[in-house]
Amino acid sequence: MAFVTGMMLIDAPASALNNAGQEEGARTDNTIAVKRIRTRAGDYPYVSAQAVRYWLRTYLERSGGEWKAAPVFREAKVAYTDANPIAYWDDDLFGYMRAPSKRPGARADEPEPNQTPVTGEITRSSPLRVGTFVSLGPVRIVDDFGTMARHDGDAVPHEHQFYRATLQGLFSLNLTTAGTFFCGGRVGYRNLDDVRVELAKEQGLEEVSVYGQPAYRLRFADRARRVATLVRALGELEGGAKLTLHYTDVTPSLLVAAVLRGGNHPFARIVRANPMGQPEFVLDAFQEVLRVYRDRLLSDVFVGWARGYLDEQRAAVERLGEDIERLGVRLRWGHPREVMAQLAEELESEAHRAWYD
């Protein structure tokens, strides 16, 4: 059971990447507040995991590559994707929940046009896990004022918030379940109903047993292509709110990733805020996790570090090269976009087929 496991930092110099809507008790009626975690130490701005997943899905859909996005359907207050992981890559890697329609007079064999019918409730836990991206340290939230001045008469004021912070987030991708679709009766292991099982058989998917549950599995090349496309996108992330006023490059400034046996996340504590609130790469913590987890590392450790971002700290990590090599661990350096492309290449290699078992 192998996972692509990684940590990334987003440098947000003056940003409002995820907002909570109108703030109660604000000085103006239309104040837009940023999402934050309030603590005794201060406010920690954050971007929700749902928002990050939305950025990623949207980028993949618009990137012009071979990514196959599922159509979305709406019934009253319920929205859902086609829930067909065999055909659609985001249903495979991002998961779904779907049940037969409860519209008056609707039958399971009468789906909406272009919709795969469903004969019972099906769910799929997302192979991709994304954490909340939270500021490394508490920051002071800025209140910014503006007016609508392109009219006659009194100015119309408006107010919004933004911040300067470094956001840290974690991600993990389960390679065993990517392209593997469960069809058993156990709760959480029913990705396919009768209709989708027939589709799996028609398309020649392999019948397998995974985690002790019956499943159908795409061939290796198809699984690897989907995973590699998603991994490349993590190094090219785009998105965010308030970009017209606070344009922010959310491409990771620093990223550490590897393929590991098991779902633990060793890179969660290798960066922290120093006493001045600035990001600090913790050299001792990095060496420790490489030593402790070296028996679980299945790949090199990919370090994507953009030039111009914490250059002195990057040089300090690079000087650890010989000590790290003595641990039997190899670091692969480059820009985050470059190293994720390299990792994607490794994930598509027939030599690493065992990572998907």
Side-chain angles (χ1 to χ4, degrees):
M1 183 169 63
F3 292 77
V4 178
T5 302
M7 179 279 300
M8 67 171 71
L9 300 184
I10 294 175
D11 183 26
S15 310
L17 292 171
N18 197 193
N19 294 306
Q22 190 168 323
E23 185 170 51
E24 295 282 340
R27 285 171 290 188
T28 59
D29 292 337
N30 55 2
T31 298
I32 302 300
V34 296
K35 288 188 176 181
R36 72 185 90 173
I37 300 171
R38 290 182 168 91
T39 73
R40 291 182 180 181
D43 291 341
Y44 290 74
Y46 72 88
V47 175
S48 70
Q50 181 182 10
V52 176
R53 287 166 65 90
Y54 174 76
W55 299 353
L56 189 57
R57 287 178 95 142
T58 303
Y59 173 72
L60 286 162
E61 290 173 16
R62 299 174 180 173
S63 61
E66 57 182 346
W67 184 263
K68 295 178 176 61
V72 176
F73 303 97
R74 177 76 183 260
E75 292 179 14
K77 295 184 178 180
V78 178
Y80 50 86
T81 70
D82 198 48
N84 183 352
I86 301 166
Y88 302 115
W89 296 17
D90 54 349
D91 275 344
D92 178 2
L93 299 180
F94 286 82
Y96 52 80
M97 182 172 66
R98 175 98 182 270
S101 176
K102 294 183 180 180
R103 288 182 296 116
R107 298 204 322 260
D109 59 351
E110 291 182 347
E112 297 290 333
N114 304 316
Q115 184 181 143
T116 306
V118 61
T119 59
E121 184 174 317
I122 51 176
T123 60
R124 177 164 173 78
S125 296
S126 172
L128 175 67
R129 306 169 181 175
V130 178
T132 303
F133 279 57
V134 184
S135 173
L136 286 171
V139 301
R140 185 183 297 276
I141 305 295
V142 177
D143 293 307
D144 191 40
F145 296 89
T147 61
M148 172 55 179
R150 290 178 297 164
H151 67 96
D152 295 330
D154 295 336
V156 178
H158 57 82
E159 183 178 352
H160 75 275
Q161 298 176 343
F162 68 96
Y163 49 80
R164 182 182 182 89
T166 297
L167 306 176
Q168 180 189 40
L170 308 179
F171 62 87
S172 178
L173 178 60
N174 188 335
L175 296 180
T176 300
T177 60
T180 301
F181 314 125
F182 296 97
C183 57
R186 182 176 169 186
V187 175
Y189 288 89
R190 191 164 190 261
N191 305 156
L192 308 178
D193 61 357
D194 295 341
V195 173
R196 288 156 181 77
V197 166
E198 287 304 313
L199 289 174
K201 291 177 179 178
E202 289 171 9
Q203 297 188 29
L205 272 66
E206 179 187 8
E207 291 187 58
V208 294
S209 178
V210 179
Y211 304 155
Q213 298 296 314
Y216 286 87
R217 177 170 275 175
L218 294 170
R219 64 190 183 95
F220 166 72
D222 292 331
R223 299 173 70 201
R225 189 160 63 251
R226 294 181 180 192
V227 165
T229 302
L230 176 57
V231 166
R232 286 190 186 93
L234 286 164
E236 303 174 346
L237 197 60
E238 293 180 5
K242 289 287 184 183
L243 295 185
T244 54
L245 297 177
H246 297 288
Y247 179 66
T248 301
D249 179 13
V250 299
T251 303
S253 299
L254 170 60
L255 183 151
V256 180
V259 180
L260 287 103
R261 185 182 297 108
N264 290 334
H265 204 300
F267 307 127
R269 299 175 186 84
I270 61 174
V271 179
R272 66 187 176 197
N274 66 17
M276 299 295 294
Q278 300 302 308
E280 176 185 11
F281 197 97
V282 188
L283 300 180
D284 290 347
F286 188 51
Q287 286 181 290
E288 180 182 70
V289 299
L290 296 181
R291 173 178 58 81
V292 171
Y293 284 91
R294 62 184 171 182
D295 63 328
R296 297 205 166 197
L297 284 168
L298 300 176
S299 71
D300 297 335
V301 176
F302 294 80
V303 182
W305 202 317
R307 295 285 185 186
Y309 181 73
L310 305 178
D311 286 336
E312 291 184 3
Q313 294 188 44
R314 171 177 173 146
V317 179
E318 288 178 322
R319 287 194 292 270
L320 291 176
E322 290 185 8
D323 293 338
I324 290 171
E325 285 182 10
R326 280 194 287 269
L327 295 173
V329 178
R330 181 186 175 203
L331 301 184
R332 301 266 292 273
W333 284 86
H335 186 277
R337 187 170 185 264
E338 291 176 323
V339 299
M340 293 306 275
Q342 293 168 15
L343 177 54
E345 206 172 297
E346 300 275 309
L347 288 160
E348 286 191 283
S349 171
E350 183 71 33
H352 299 135
R353 188 185 190 117
W355 290 352
Y356 292 82
D357 290 342

